Amino acid sequence: MGLTKEGQAALDKIRRLAEDNGIDIRDGKVRRTSSRFCLGVEHGDYNGTELFGVATDRFIWMAYRPNGTETIRLFSGNFPGDGVVEFKLGDVPEPKSAVIAETWGRFPYGVEYILRREGYKLSQGIDGVIYGNIPGGGMSRSASLSLNLILSLLDANAIEIKDKMKIVDLAQAVENDYIGSPCGQLDQIMILFGREGMGTYYNPAKRSVEYVELGAGATDFRIVVLDTGTVRPGLEKSTYKIRRGQCEELVSILQKAGYKVSCLADVKDEALYEKIMAEFGGRYPDLCDRLKYIFAAQRRFYEMLEAWKAGDIETVGQIFRQDGIGLRDDYKISGPELETMCDIVRTIPGVLGERMLGGGDKGASGALVRAESIEAVKEAVGVAYPLSRPEFADKYAVHICKVVDGVKVYEGLL
Ligand code: GLA
């Protein structure tokens, strides 16, 4: 299958960048990795909940070919100032070191480092050019890039990993262990497994994935991403890290008090929840607010899944909205610009639900919108957002997204 218009434009750009920077991609392959949109439970992955989401059509494209040497040479059209990132296999900076903090090169360094650490012997370098249109903060740009690099390097070295969950682990390790970002596995799962037109359901107890079709007769709707134009620093520098720590702290308090829980998602039973809140709500109000969100969002998750199966997108939207309120008021992981976007779209007829997306603080909010209300959303955001947030007047963007395959490889294009 051929490329879309955006894909074609990205490829044209990649060809030019390859030529200008002396990167040889002739006869190479193109791997396209997607972004993701989570329908639940946001911030549930590191708390042990089940997950549901889709792969969306904002992408990272990488054109590459094995270069017959032991050197990796890569150029990113998104970070042209970094020039060609070039290094020998086995020779990358130390994990989390100062030299990697400011360069996108930490991703390929990290991929090489983790693959080697995990015993995958690379002997073949690649030349490659990368270009992406995934906005930062909320759509999983970093997981998309890590996965793209892992899959491309494995392919160039003719190494096949059959267990896709292993690839998820590797991509998370690149971020956790090399870059120092404390992310979970939501992003990698939704991208690596994502299928056109399908929801991806993940069960952590079995580490299994199932595809769930949206029930017939659903209202025609769009997934809308409202990029605030703000820049979200890495998760290690965000509220995200603090929230993770708080959730772990509450689990350890509960364990010491004799509760048999290994993560907050284990608090599923209403009586157990009420008991914990009565016992610890006064002493640890903040930590208990974190539990309040996870408990309620986990309950809503099953309702949301049933509604999705039934094609009842209105209910999916309402739950998305309630999750957003919980993320804002109980989990306290949203940010002022993210909430401005939500406030603007919330009352527009045809907006079924809206909330902050992903890691939090900054980045993008999202909404589920009836197809016929898309123009109204664009117009309202176009008028109100620059008025409320003039400093981001020329940086914000509205993306109307489709549900697509998470990973695609094209041959014969270069
Ligand atoms: C970021 C992290 C994910 C997940 C989400 C919140 O995208 O990378 O692991 O925790 O935030 O749901």
Side-chain angles (χ1 to χ4, degrees), residues 36 38 41-46 51 138-140 142-143 172 175 181-188 232 235 240 244 357-360:
R36 66 98 187 86
C38 168
V41 171
E42 197 80 275
H43 291 268
D45 57 352
Y46 57 86
L51 304 171
M139 291 192 84
S140 300
S142 59
Q172 184 194 26
E175 297 203 57
S181 158
C183 67
Q185 297 201 328
L186 167 77
D187 310 344
Q188 299 81 354
R232 201 210 61 216
L235 297 177
Y240 187 92
R244 270 201 86 141
L357 298 179

Side-chain angles (χ1 to χ4, degrees), residues 261-320:
V261 292
S262 62
C263 58
L264 292 188
D266 285 347
V267 185
K268 258 189 163 173
D269 175 68
E270 175 126 35
L272 174 64
Y273 171 73
E274 293 301 346
K275 187 164 182 267
I276 291 172
M277 290 312 246
E279 193 172 339
F280 298 100
R283 245 185 303 163
Y284 305 105
D286 274 356
L287 302 189
C288 287
D289 272 355
R290 308 296 103 88
L291 174 61
K292 187 175 169 201
Y293 162 71
I294 293 292
F295 178 77
Q298 181 163 240
R299 293 212 138 179
R300 287 189 291 262
F301 179 86
Y302 301 102
E303 262 178 72
M304 181 273 298
L305 207 55
E306 286 316 306
W308 176 272
K309 286 181 193 160
D312 176 6
I313 202 68
E314 283 77 8
T315 299
V316 174
Q318 274 168 31
I319 291 174
F320 194 74

Side-chain angles (χ1 to χ4, degrees), residues 226 341 344-345 348 376-386 396-398:
L226 305 159
M341 281 296 190
I344 293 170
V345 303
I348 300 173
V377 165
K378 283 189 186 162
E379 237 180 84
V381 172
V383 172
Y385 189 75
Y396 78 95
V398 176

Side-chain angles (χ1 to χ4, degrees), residues 42 44 73 94 110 117 129 145 185 206 208 231 235 257 276 278 293 351 359 364 401:
E42 197 80 275
R73 302 175 69 239
E94 281 299 298
R117 188 189 79 180
V129 177
L145 178 57
Q185 297 201 328
K206 300 191 236 160
S208 64
V231 176
L235 297 177
I276 291 172
Y293 162 71
V351 173
C401 298

